Amino acid sequence: MLYIALLIGIVVIIIADKLTPAFKLSSIWGLISQIFAALVIIMFGSLEVNYINLSSHIELGYLAIPFTLLFLVGFTNVMNIERGQNPLLLLLPLVSLVCFSMAAFFMGHSFVLIIGISTCLAIMLILLYSYFTGNLFIGHTLTTSIGFIIAVLSISLIKHFIVFMYIPIFTLALPFTLYYFIQNKFTNVQAITISTLTAVLFGVFIFIVPTHLLWYPVVGITIILVIMQSSRKFRIIW
């Protein structure tokens, strides 16, 4: 059922992204569509974080749905970029999806593994098409859909062990923030290359650093990224 819920959520986001500019609707409708898509995942896909598994077992109770909803919408918008961007930016979510797939393989999590690999292949096809045709530019609809997929995969792993927040934060949110910071100091390709290499570097860490040590940078960087949203220059979530 989670596969169907994910498909419905993606369709809802795509339709809303197409109708918003067509009828000159407020951008708030895009956010409403993301909330609706997230609720479909929670209600029909039965995917929510009921507890936080650290050194102790912390039950969330009535906060389970708001907690899950907040992270689904938040992670979805990490990929929120304007139309006409260089397709090479898709290398950043590609790194994250590879990390998700590898983590799912070691955990035996079939849903994350299948969706992760499928999305990786789709992104690689888009990059190949862009390379050979040279006339493809990624836009808001595509990046938001990929962001939503990453959000669902994140919650799927976080519900087992919250330290997996490391993957979307350190291999996607942080590299995107770096890209926005350096894009005016380097060429576009150079900025994407530096950001991608940063994502790969942090992606390697999750498989070599003990999980109990990962929790400290996760908390620290999360706080920094939240504070940075107050500045438009470094804002990754609109």
Side-chain angles (χ1 to χ4, degrees), residues 98-117:
V98 169
C99 291
F100 277 122
S101 301
M102 292 177 63
F105 175 77
F106 291 123
M107 293 177 62
H109 199 302
S110 61
F111 171 77
V112 175
L113 181 61
I114 293 172
I115 298 299
I117 292 176

Side-chain angles (χ1 to χ4, degrees), residues 1-13:
M1 190 64 184
L2 185 53
Y3 292 95
I4 298 176
L6 176 60
L7 178 61
I8 293 173
I10 293 173
V11 170
V12 168
I13 290 175

Side-chain angles (χ1 to χ4, degrees), residues 86 88 179 186-194:
N86 192 320
L88 288 178
Y179 169 75
F186 298 90
T187 66
N188 194 36
V189 173
Q190 288 175 334
I192 293 173
T193 302
I194 294 172

Side-chain angles (χ1 to χ4, degrees), residues 64-141:
I65 291 180
F67 181 88
T68 306
L69 183 63
L70 175 65
F71 275 87
L72 282 173
V73 175
F75 287 151
T76 297
N77 282 283
V78 169
M79 282 288 294
N80 191 349
I81 65 176
E82 299 299 325
R83 182 177 176 81
Q85 293 290 328
N86 192 320
L88 288 178
L89 267 177
L90 293 178
L91 289 173
L92 292 176
L94 181 62
V95 172
S96 295
L97 289 163
V98 169
C99 291
F100 277 122
S101 301
M102 292 177 63
F105 175 77
F106 291 123
M107 293 177 62
H109 199 302
S110 61
F111 171 77
V112 175
L113 181 61
I114 293 172
I115 298 299
I117 292 176
S118 300
T119 311
C120 283
L121 293 175
I123 291 177
M124 291 173 66
L125 287 175
I126 292 173
L127 290 173
L128 285 174
Y129 177 80
S130 171
Y131 176 78
F132 286 111
T133 61
N135 59 0
L136 176 66
F137 293 93
I138 59 174
H140 183 268
T141 302

Side-chain angles (χ1 to χ4, degrees), residues 216-237:
Y216 299 102
V218 165
V219 173
I221 295 298
T222 301
I223 294 174
I224 292 173
L225 288 173
V226 170
I227 294 174
M228 290 172 67
Q229 301 313 296
S230 61
S231 172
R232 185 174 181 83
K233 181 178 180 181
F234 304 111
R235 189 174 300 165
I236 56 175
I237 298 177

Side-chain angles (χ1 to χ4, degrees), residues 194-211:
I194 294 172
S195 302
T196 302
L197 291 176
T198 301
V200 172
L201 178 63
F202 281 120
V204 171
F205 283 164
I206 193 174
F207 299 104
I208 61 177
V209 177
T211 54

